[in-house]
Amino acid sequence: MRTAPKFDWKSPGDLGKFLCMLIVGAVAGGLARWVDLPLPFLVGGLLSTICLITLANSRSISLSYPKPLRMCFVALIGTLIGSTVSPELAKSVPNLTLSLLAVVVYVIVAHYLGYVIFRTFGKYDRVTAFYAAMPGGLIEAVELGTKGGGNVVVLTISHFMRVLFVVIVVPLLFWMGSGEVVGSAAGQGFELGLFRWKDLSIILLIAFFGLMAGRMVRMPAGHLIGPMLVSALCHGTGLLDTIAPLWLLYVAQLFVGVALGAQLSGTFGSSYVNIVKTSLLATSLMLCLSAAMAWSIVSVTNINFSALFLSFAPGGVSEMGLIALSLGISPMMVAAHHVFRIFVTVLIAAVTTKAASRWLS
């Protein structure tokens, strides 16, 4: 893969090109948001930047992205993920003990089966296969996998296909099974209240201190996990109750999407067909496992099969929550399982990154 040129903050040319990538990415993100694609500004920024850089390369024009800026926005995303852990969500955990324990089993089994598929059918190296098989967290998986030396192209495309496939297939399954049309405005978040500027300051401070804490203790992917853990602790204990504006999530998606697009420049080709096929196979198996796990514990919990299946499906928190809302299923309960799934997936992968670095390499 072609190495992106180093960004020069003092160069008016680099700054102008970077602003151009952001503007085009924002327009593409707006279009993706309009057609209800999942992660709209991430997808828009990613695809538009790839197109821009491919066009620029054909004319011998270099485009680059400032890496420190990407790290800051990844920290912001970690903070926003952690902010979804509310006191109500924390209090509901004891009543969901069995199903949450099943989530741990699901994550381990799904990750292993996905790894086998990416290794056997995709023919990818161990590092790439390991992180591509993570049953959750597109940005988190790419961050951890890139740090571990994995193929960023495979990681980005495989996880994007996982989210997109689940968002499309799960509503269709419910429609075929019950005849109910599921409204899934993919990529949107819930409106939890009025936005306050004080909240924005708090969120940015958590992102900053979490980023510093993660780097100080040399935590794997500390710029992501540090802010995520600090935010989860503050919000889950009731110490803080912030309301993040939807535009903040979109801005973070845009900057990270443009950064991913810059890393993927010059890489499109026939190999993408193999990535898509392998990802769809792995995701299909994860969905089958979701149904099996839901069926296996439905008789020993007070949760119905539909709610359990949504709780295990390897999609995004907001997407699964919106589907649950449209079906009259508690989105809070579904969100609890998905937030827990993402935490377990990312933490297991982060710990494994350091403990098994020799085996993976």
Side-chain angles (χ1 to χ4, degrees), residues 179-192:
E180 295 182 61
V181 178
V182 179
S184 175
Q188 295 184 43
F190 296 109
E191 293 296 336
L192 300 178

Side-chain angles (χ1 to χ4, degrees), residues 53-122:
I53 291 182
T54 301
L55 179 63
N57 287 341
S58 67
R59 300 187 178 185
S60 299
I61 301 174
S62 63
L63 297 177
S64 57
Y65 186 95
K67 291 183 179 179
L69 198 58
R70 177 173 180 259
M71 183 179 295
C72 292
F73 279 97
V74 168
L76 177 58
I77 287 177
T79 303
L80 295 176
I81 292 173
S83 69
T84 62
V85 183
S86 64
E88 291 76 16
L89 197 59
K91 290 177 182 177
S92 69
V93 170
N95 299 325
L96 303 173
T97 302
L98 183 58
S99 56
L100 290 176
L101 287 175
V103 169
V104 178
V105 176
Y106 171 82
V107 167
I108 295 173
V109 176
H111 201 162
Y112 173 75
L113 293 177
Y115 173 79
V116 171
I117 289 175
F118 277 96
R119 282 286 284 167
T120 305
F121 294 94

Side-chain angles (χ1 to χ4, degrees), residues 258-328:
V258 170
L260 290 175
Q263 291 185 73
L264 294 174
S265 60
T267 62
F268 276 93
S270 59
S271 62
Y272 270 52
V273 176
N274 187 50
I275 301 174
V276 171
K277 289 193 300 184
T278 307
S279 178
L280 294 182
L281 177 60
T283 305
S284 298
L285 189 58
M286 289 180 188
L287 281 173
C288 291
L289 180 62
S290 300
M293 291 294 296
W295 178 82
S296 67
I297 67 171
V298 68
S299 61
V300 292
T301 65
N302 294 322
I303 308 172
N304 62 45
F305 177 82
S306 296
L308 285 172
F309 177 67
L310 282 181
S311 297
F312 286 111
V317 177
S318 60
E319 288 80 16
M320 295 299 100
L322 284 167
I323 294 173
L325 189 65
S326 67
L327 291 172

Side-chain angles (χ1 to χ4, degrees), residues 185-220:
Q188 295 184 43
F190 296 109
E191 293 296 336
L192 300 178
L194 296 175
F195 163 63
R196 298 167 295 187
W197 285 104
K198 180 182 71 173
D199 292 345
L200 178 60
S201 302
I202 293 173
I203 290 169
L204 294 178
L205 282 174
I206 292 176
F208 174 76
F209 285 110
L211 176 61
M212 294 298 103
R215 297 186 67 179
M216 285 177 61
V217 300
R218 297 183 179 180
M219 185 183 299

Side-chain angles (χ1 to χ4, degrees), residues 241-271:
D241 180 21
T242 60
I243 301 171
L246 191 56
W247 61 260
L248 184 62
L249 176 61
Y250 285 162
V251 168
Q253 283 186 16
L254 173 63
F255 275 81
V256 174
V258 170
L260 290 175
Q263 291 185 73
L264 294 174
S265 60
T267 62
F268 276 93
S270 59
S271 62

